[in-house]
Amino acid sequence: MSGIIGRTMASKRISALNNFLMGSRVFASRTYSSTAKEVTVRDALNSALDEEMSADPKVFVMGEEVGEYQGAYKITKGLLDKYGPERVLDTPITEAGFTGIGVGAAYYGLKPVIEFMTFNFSMQAIDHIINSAAKANYMAAGQISVPIVFRGPNGAAAGVGAQHSQCYAAWYGSCPGLKVLAPYSSEDARGLLKAAIRDPDPVVFLENELLYGESFPVSAEALDSSFSLPIGKAKIEREGKDVSITAYSKMVGYALQAAEILAKEGISAEVINLRSIRPLDRPAINASVRKTNRLVTVEEGFPQHGIGAEICASVVEESFEYLDAPVERITGADVPMPYAANLERLAVPQVEDIVRSAKRACYRSSN
């Protein structure tokens, strides 16, 4: 009976929200097979949204072109037809407006998933993300939960210029009250998005446009509707003994490519997929450094006050005596993203940069 009442209340809340939007003229323990299935990151995100919306009537999606157009990147494909316009809400081009509405809905007990067409546009809504969502639980002495997810592509794509290419991991990672996730693979995307939607706190979910079409093997366990990944836990993508390489999002793939090249030169690199920017898995990072005695950090963001700088601080504070070489920090260039393709490549870390830095940390290069 309580379940029926809960579902009815949730339906009424979403209906009331939809009426408000329209009135405001807003349109716009188990046994698993070991066989892995190839799934794109796009489909992994789509299935995670679909399953969480099916499991919980309080979950709804809102953003620009998420409904009729099925998402700018087709992450919300099919959801409007399945769940209707009361739970898949198209909005005008007003990030500050629909983000504020989403935070208000979360105050009321719903679970909004807010899509930004790019996280660069989240700057229009940062007051609601930081002041309205991130700080509410603390300022209310724990009496208010804000179960909201802000998701969309983050960082560099290709040829979209400075105002569409910035990485916001360090921006949001510095803010108490937020959880910040950055998936790499399809399993990451599926498991972390499910965890984000189920979490009682606001979560910033940083995807990567260039990864949407990439396919990764996903286990039967990860394809189960109950699957989720723990927030705050990194993954060792490749074990090694000579140097630790930390990365997140698209840079994990680059780090793995670099590790393959390094292996041919006799250097065993351990690749750590951070997955979670805040909270940061400091124990996993420090445990790896204490094993390899060397560290290379990789990120797309700007060098000053970046994720790599925070990791360096953690290692210096907790594992300094284990280091056999200075920490190598690889970042994007300290300039707004150039539009020209040749300059854009120079502004973003490349595989050869990781190889060069790892060899330098292992005293195998004079460069």
Side-chain angles (χ1 to χ4, degrees), residues 161-209:
Q163 294 172 323
H164 297 74
S165 301
Q166 191 167 326
C167 175
Y168 288 93
W171 283 56
Y172 291 116
S174 68
C175 183
L178 291 177
K179 294 173 183 175
V180 183
L181 306 178
Y184 160 60
S185 66
S186 299
E187 182 176 306
D188 288 356
R190 183 172 160 78
L192 290 174
L193 183 55
K194 282 175 162 285
I197 293 171
R198 298 172 190 177
D199 199 89
D201 298 313
V203 179
V204 171
F205 197 84
L206 303 172
E207 301 158 12
N208 185 282
E209 179 184 337

Side-chain angles (χ1 to χ4, degrees), residues 51 86 108 130 135 153 183 213 223 300 305 307 322:
E51 290 171 9
E86 289 194 343
Y108 196 60
I130 303 301
K135 298 176 182 177
L223 290 172
E300 278 190 10
H305 310 302
I307 305 302
Y322 289 87

Side-chain angles (χ1 to χ4, degrees), residues 212-229:
Y212 284 148
E214 288 201 24
S215 294
F216 296 85
V218 177
S219 67
E221 179 183 2
L223 290 172
D224 189 83
S225 61
S226 64
F227 176 74
S228 71
L229 289 170

Side-chain angles (χ1 to χ4, degrees), residues 98-108 112 114 128-129 132-133 146 148 150:
F98 65 74
T99 302
I101 292 171
V103 173
Y107 282 179
Y108 196 60
I114 304 299
H128 287 303
I129 297 170
S132 301
V146 192
I148 187 169
F150 307 102

Side-chain angles (χ1 to χ4, degrees), residues 151-331:
R151 56 154 295 272
N154 170 71
V160 292
Q163 294 172 323
H164 297 74
S165 301
Q166 191 167 326
C167 175
Y168 288 93
W171 283 56
Y172 291 116
S174 68
C175 183
L178 291 177
K179 294 173 183 175
V180 183
L181 306 178
Y184 160 60
S185 66
S186 299
E187 182 176 306
D188 288 356
R190 183 172 160 78
L192 290 174
L193 183 55
K194 282 175 162 285
I197 293 171
R198 298 172 190 177
D199 199 89
D201 298 313
V203 179
V204 171
F205 197 84
L206 303 172
E207 301 158 12
N208 185 282
E209 179 184 337
L210 298 179
L211 287 175
Y212 284 148
E214 288 201 24
S215 294
F216 296 85
V218 177
S219 67
E221 179 183 2
L223 290 172
D224 189 83
S225 61
S226 64
F227 176 74
S228 71
L229 289 170
I231 293 175
K233 294 294 182 182
K235 178 186 178 185
I236 305 298
E237 293 283 352
R238 178 185 178 121
E239 293 193 357
K241 60 183 179 62
D242 295 327
V243 59
S244 301
I245 304 174
T246 64
Y248 61 90
S249 191
K250 190 173 188 293
M251 291 295 108
V252 176
Y254 282 20
L256 289 169
Q257 291 179 52
E260 288 285 346
I261 296 170
L262 290 165
K264 295 175 183 177
E265 301 190 33
I267 297 175
S268 174
E270 181 151 292
V271 177
I272 304 172
N273 174 5
L274 295 176
R275 283 181 168 171
S276 179
I277 304 301
R278 183 184 185 100
L280 191 63
D281 194 350
R282 299 171 195 272
I285 296 166
N286 280 278
S288 179
V289 169
R290 293 182 183 196
K291 178 175 71 171
T292 67
N293 310 116
R294 295 171 176 85
L295 173 64
V296 176
T297 70
V298 189
E299 63 188 302
E300 278 190 10
F302 299 134
Q304 191 158 320
H305 310 302
I307 305 302
E310 180 64 26
I311 292 172
C312 289
S314 176
V315 169
V316 167
E317 290 165 358
E318 300 178 41
S319 305
F320 179 74
E321 66 273 24
Y322 289 87
L323 289 171
D324 288 343
V327 175
E328 296 280 342
R329 193 158 55 100
I330 302 172
T331 71

